[in-house]
Every structure is written in C-alpha cells, then in structure tokens.
Amino acid sequence: MISYETLGIPRVINASGRMTALGGVALHPDVIAAMVEGGRANVNMEALKDVAGERIAAWCGAEAAMVTPGASAGNVIMTAAAVSGNDPYRAAQLPNATWPRREIVLQLGHAVSYGGRITQDIQHGGGIPVLVGTANSVHGYDIAGAINERTAAVFFVQSHHAVQKGMLDLPTVIAIAHEKGVPVLLDAAAEEDVHNYIAMGADLVTYSGGKAFEGPTSGFILGSKERIAACRLQEGGIARPMKVGKETILGLLAAMARYVTNDVAAEKARQMGVIETLKGGLDDLPHTRLTIERDEAGRAIWRLHLTLNEAALGFTATTLMKDLQEHDPPVFPRGHWANTGTVALDPRPIADGDVPVIIEAIQSIYARHGAMREA
Ligand SMILES: *Cc1c(COP(=O)(O)O)cnc(C)c1O
C-alpha cells in the first residue's frame, strides 16, 4: 500500500494557507469521491472538457470557461490566446511569434513571483512583457503611453503577492485598455469572488482550483466564447504539456459545486473559532503581542498574528518558524512577515483537531528557549 506514511513523508500541520509547497488543500470527501469515480472509466475528453467549461462558466457568470492544470498554466494560455488570437497557424508557432503584435503590458508592481514569475509565464505564452511605471507608483499615462499597435494585451495581477500601494486598480486599467481596444488578462489565482472580475469587464480571468475553491491541483480560465476558443486552440500546441486528467476535472467540478453552494458564513465562523481558541491558548506567551488581522490584500480572511519582541525573548520570529517546522508533527505557519518579527497562523487549512497540537508546539518552543511566562 502506497501512502505518505509508507513513503516516510510525514503529514504536516498547515497553518500557512493554500500553499503549493504543502500540496494545496486537504480535499473534502465529496471531492475525493468524484475523483475516484472519474478515474474508473474512459470518456470522450473533448465532450468532458466542453461540459466542464459550460458548468464553470454558468457558476461564475461568464460566457465560457476552460479547465487548466492551474492558474500558472492559465497565465501562459491567456497570453498565448491574446498573441495568436483564433488563428491556428499562429497558435502553432508559439512561443516564437514572428508577428509584431505580441507585447503584454504589465505594471511594475505586478511583476512578482508567486513561486514562478509572472513575466516568465508571459514569455512562455509567446508574449513580450513590457513593464511600466515604477515599483511603487504607476500612472494612467504609463499604461496608455505603452499601448501601441504591437500590444496584444494588458496583464493584471490581482493578488496579495502584488504591490498593493501605488498601483492602478483593475477598473482603471480596464478603462484605459478598452479605450485603446486592447484586452485585459487577469491573474486572480487565489481570489474568492468568481463573478466580480468578469462583471467589471476583464476579458480573460484565471483562477487556481486548489486555492479558494479547495479543489485538487487544477485551475480554469473565464471569458467570452471567442476568447475561450482561442485558449482551447492552445491545447494542441503550447498547452499540450499542460494536460488535465479526467479525474482532476471531476474533482474540480465537485469542489466548485461545493464552493458556490457552500454556507460561506458558517465556514468563516468556524475559522474565527479556530483563531479565538488559538489566541486563548497562547495569550500568556511572554513578550508577544497577539492580534487578529485581516488579509493584506483585502480578502475576507482573518489570521492570528504573533508579533515577537525579539530582543526581550532572545530569539527571532524566523527561529520560531524554523522550530515549528522541525516540531513533531511539523507545523508550518505563515512566514510572509517573519523578517519583521511576526509569525501568522492562517485558520483556513487548520482542522479543529490540530488546534491543541499547534498551541502545544508553540508553548513548548518558548519553554525550550527559556522564555518565561509573565508572572
Ligand atoms: C498561486 C498563484 C499562481 C499559480 O497558481 P497554480 O494554480 O498553483 O498554478 C499564479 N498567480 C498567483 C498570483 C498565485 O498566487
């Protein structure tokens, strides 16, 4: 029997988020059942992809949709679709487009890495990234001035990874691009709202299936029938190495069906309960400030932040992170702010049963470092 246990790879407690490095999310039994069912038989894959696209489009208020292996593949495919259009000859040349209309305009603060680089995704799709503005400020004229007859699209990254300050917002960028007759491609990998970006007028939008929607490693693109047809055209070309299996498609559909009908309020209440219990179990930690903070990119996610007075404690947030990862069982907190003294606990992936394990792990590490509770 093959299992993580027999392979000697220990289960880790994920207090970090929907992280690729930790395998995304733990799947709901309904999603697993759909994947098992999907793996049992053969089907006509084109028909399955058509129906999956129709279902996803209907759930998200889009005209059409395409399933992908993830949002990263979505970025590549959206770019390729913008560069080749619906021309099969051009799609077959990618990524080496020999025609001039292949520039993709991107605000400098959106040229980020999510574990892979946005600019490399654009190049992979046959585009040439044209970075505009500065790392902390972009003006409308930066985008408008960069658009010319060589521009295939403007690319926008809606993400906590992007610079939040000084960048133009999505409605502004859509207005400028559309005024110039250029489509907007949107990376919304980890976003939660499946309706708003298409409603705002974004022309192609990609999401990760394994983040907000708690699906298997997968993703999808939303857009008009014509633009999604240009995306599907890439399946016989640049997207051929990005094949999605039948079992993954069924798993994604099961996850999306749950997501769009799920009682979001009940899950948020559960997450807040996790945070409150963690806070109660940690509020006697010395020289450590506990606060409940909203996601920095404004998503409806709240996390418990532990801000360490490193000088008084004699150890750093980075040390705490490392010790937790070496704990038995390993605990992976959110480390985005470790270099500024803060370790965060993300309630979304934390199962109720893991809460006391996390409290014990943190308490025992403080005790080991000789950090005494305040009398
Ligand atoms: C996670 C992420 C991706 C990649 O998504 P996958 O589904 O893992 O391929 C792309 N862009 C952003 C902004 C992300 O956060």
Side-chain angles (χ1 to χ4, degrees), residues 20 69-73 75 114 118 157 159-161 187 189-190 208-209 211 218:
T20 291
S72 178
N75 288 344
Y114 52 82
I118 298 288
V157 181
S159 169
H160 58 289
H161 292 301
D187 176 351
S208 184
K211 291 180 178 170
S218 61

Side-chain angles (χ1 to χ4, degrees), residues 252-289:
L252 173 63
L253 291 179
M256 291 298 292
R258 269 178 53 74
Y259 185 80
V260 295
T261 56
N262 216 352
D263 185 355
V264 176
E267 173 55 19
K268 289 291 168 214
R270 186 200 74 87
Q271 292 175 11
M272 207 41 100
V274 167
I275 291 182
E276 293 293 351
T277 312
L278 286 168
K279 192 162 183 278
L282 298 171
D283 66 1
D284 61 352
L285 290 175
H287 307 301
T288 302
R289 191 158 46 86

Side-chain angles (χ1 to χ4, degrees), residues 10-11 42 58 82 93 156 168 225-226 230 233 236 242 284 318 349:
R11 180 182 95 89
N42 284 102
Q93 311 309 309
F156 194 100
L168 295 174
K225 283 207 166 79
E226 195 188 352
L233 192 56
M242 305 171 199
D284 61 352
T318 307

Side-chain angles (χ1 to χ4, degrees), residues 29-74:
D30 292 356
V31 176
I32 294 170
M35 295 182 79
V36 169
E37 212 33 57
R40 267 190 224 287
N42 284 102
V43 282
N44 177 335
M45 286 303 291
E46 287 306 305
L48 177 59
K49 286 188 277 187
D50 288 346
V51 171
E54 283 164 20
R55 283 287 170 99
I56 292 170
W59 282 326
C60 302
E63 217 179 277
M66 169 186 175
V67 178
T68 69
S72 178

Side-chain angles (χ1 to χ4, degrees), residues 81 83-91 225-231 233-234:
V83 171
S84 77
N86 296 66
D87 180 340
Y89 173 79
R90 290 193 161 185
K225 283 207 166 79
E226 195 188 352
R227 290 192 193 282
I228 292 296
C231 292
L233 192 56
Q234 314 302 326

